[in-house]
């Protein structure tokens, strides 16, 4: 079911829209049967409204997005609401569905309709639950944290000193932030998976880039040969002095060889290979 709705609301990362057809049928039955109950009317109407908003700006059917605007498109022009993420509204859809289900089942029980039909209730519960079960086994990717950050070697960086890392922590890759956390926040880092203002004052994940990030970011896309030139060296030396950098840590990732070559030329000496990284202490 998830494959059919992963693009609703603008992306799959936080999508919790899927409720399953059996549950929707049951909710519809409860909504109609107990429509005179105020809380049922409230959860039904508000739930449908939030569901519609959670679908995003344009209509998507069977994985194809059509150029048909939905009500959420209006919010992109409303101050304070323009940066809302439609997919996160699915949390409230689930909340209102749970409220409707709880009240409806309680009313069915009070009406004496559940007690003599325990077998039917069990089958219905299975029908509702099975579509919501995740695929098994779970898919995952190992973090592959370099051993350096969990070893005693990282203690050679002075406490709270600035350390330049490669890769730089930045959306969509946050693994260097995990390294920092696993080191007990031994050092301070530049960059981060966070929103900062751009030149126009609008929020962006890519604001406030340092010279280090701007230059070494080329290595990850195969442009390592362009990393070093006299102007680059001067810019990086000035930035490292301004930030009072005490260490440079280059992890074994795509483009690392070019970054290692760059830092070696700038500092005039090779780094130390240890725990899956090459590190210079300044």
């Amino acid at each position: 079911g998830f494959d059919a709705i992963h693009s609703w609301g603008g992306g799959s990362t936080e999508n919790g829209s899927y409720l399953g057809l059996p549950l929707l049928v049951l909710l519809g039955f409860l909504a109609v049967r107990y429509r005179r109950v105020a809380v049922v009317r409230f959860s039904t109407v508000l739930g449908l409204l939030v569901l519609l908003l959670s679908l995003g700006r344009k209509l998507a059917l069977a994985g194809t997005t059509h150029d048909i605007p939905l009500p959420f498109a209006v919010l992109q022009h409303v101050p304070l609401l323009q940066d809302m993420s439609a997919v996160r509204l699915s949390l409230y859809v689930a909340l209102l569905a749970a409220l409707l289900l709880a009240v409806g089942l309680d009313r069915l029980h009070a009406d004496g309709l559940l007690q003599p039909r325990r077998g039917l209730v069990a089958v219905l519960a299975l029908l509702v639950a099975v579509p919501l079960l995740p695929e098994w086994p779970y898919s995952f990717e190992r973090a592959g944290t370099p051993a350096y950050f969990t070893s005693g070697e990282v203690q050679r960086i002075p406490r709270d000193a600035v350390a330049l890392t490669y890769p730089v922590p930045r959306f969509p890759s946050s693994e260097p932030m995990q390294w920092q956390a696993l080191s007990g926040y031994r050092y301070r880092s530049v960059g981060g998976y966070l929103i900062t203002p751009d030149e126009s004052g609008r929020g962006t994940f890519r604001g406030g880039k340092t010279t280090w990030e701007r230059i070494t970011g080329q290595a990850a896309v195969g442009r390592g040969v362009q990393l070093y030139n006299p102007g680059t060296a001067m810019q990086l030396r000035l930035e490292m002095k301004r930030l009072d950098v005490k260490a440079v840590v280059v992890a074994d990732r795509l483009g690392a060889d070019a970054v290692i070559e760059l830092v070696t030329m700038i500092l005039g000496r090779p780094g130390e290979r240890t725990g899956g990284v090459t590190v210079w202490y300044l």
Side-chain angles (χ1 to χ4, degrees):
F2 180 77
D3 290 340
I5 55 91
H6 76 279
S7 63
W8 287 6
S12 62
T13 307
E14 302 172 78
N15 201 324
S17 302
Y18 189 70
L19 296 178
L21 184 58
L23 179 56
L24 289 175
V25 172
L26 176 59
L27 291 174
F29 167 74
L30 296 174
V32 173
R33 182 179 179 87
Y34 297 110
R35 60 187 179 277
R36 297 185 183 279
V37 179
V39 68
V40 170
R41 293 197 303 272
F42 169 81
S43 56
T44 301
V45 174
L46 187 58
L48 290 173
L49 175 61
V50 178
L51 174 61
L52 184 59
L53 289 173
S54 74
L55 300 182
R57 295 183 175 91
K58 294 183 179 180
L59 180 65
L61 293 174
T64 302
T65 301
H66 301 274
D67 196 23
I68 301 176
L70 294 176
F72 189 82
V74 177
L75 300 183
Q76 64 184 325
H77 305 295
V78 179
L80 299 181
L81 300 181
Q82 61 188 12
D83 292 324
M84 285 180 60
S85 179
V87 71
R88 296 181 181 178
L89 293 174
S90 62
L91 292 172
Y92 300 97
V93 177
L95 173 63
L96 292 163
L99 176 60
L100 173 56
L101 181 64
V103 173
L105 292 179
D106 180 67
R107 288 300 177 116
L108 284 177
H109 178 72
D111 292 344
L113 298 177
L114 297 182
Q115 190 69 16
R117 299 179 176 84
R118 293 184 179 180
L120 178 61
V121 171
V123 171
L124 184 61
L126 285 174
L127 286 175
V128 168
V130 168
L132 300 177
L133 294 177
E135 293 183 358
W136 184 263
Y138 296 125
S139 61
F140 68 94
E141 293 184 14
R142 296 189 180 278
T145 300
Y148 172 81
F149 295 100
T150 55
S151 70
E153 283 294 312
V154 76
Q155 304 300 317
R156 294 177 60 185
I157 302 177
R159 169 67 68 180
D160 296 328
V162 174
L164 299 180
T165 64
Y166 177 83
V168 174
R170 178 69 70 174
F171 173 83
S173 175
S174 58
E175 59 173 343
M177 297 175 69
Q178 182 187 38
W179 304 343
Q180 187 180 17
L182 291 174
S183 73
Y185 294 99
R186 177 73 187 181
Y187 59 90
R188 292 183 292 158
S189 187
V190 296
Y193 191 154
L194 72 166
I195 299 175
T196 57
D198 61 14
E199 295 179 355
S200 65
R202 295 179 63 88
T204 176
F205 279 110
R206 303 190 180 280
K209 284 189 176 182
T210 58
T211 301
W212 169 257
E213 179 179 0
R214 180 173 53 80
I215 293 173
T216 61
Q218 301 176 60
V221 293
R223 298 172 60 189
V225 294
Q226 301 178 28
L227 291 187
Y228 185 83
N229 59 59
T232 294
M234 179 62 71
Q235 291 176 42
L236 283 175
R237 288 193 184 102
L238 289 173
E239 182 172 84
M240 291 168 71
K241 182 177 181 180
R242 176 175 59 84
L243 296 175
D244 195 21
V245 172
K246 296 300 183 185
V248 180
V249 186
V250 179
D252 294 340
R253 296 293 186 269
L254 179 65
D257 290 344
V259 177
I260 291 172
E261 182 180 357
L262 168 68
V263 180
T264 299
M265 287 190 286
I266 289 176
L267 298 182
R269 58 184 171 90
E272 302 178 25
R273 288 283 304 145
T274 176
V277 305
T278 302
V279 57
W280 291 259
Y281 300 102
L282 311 183

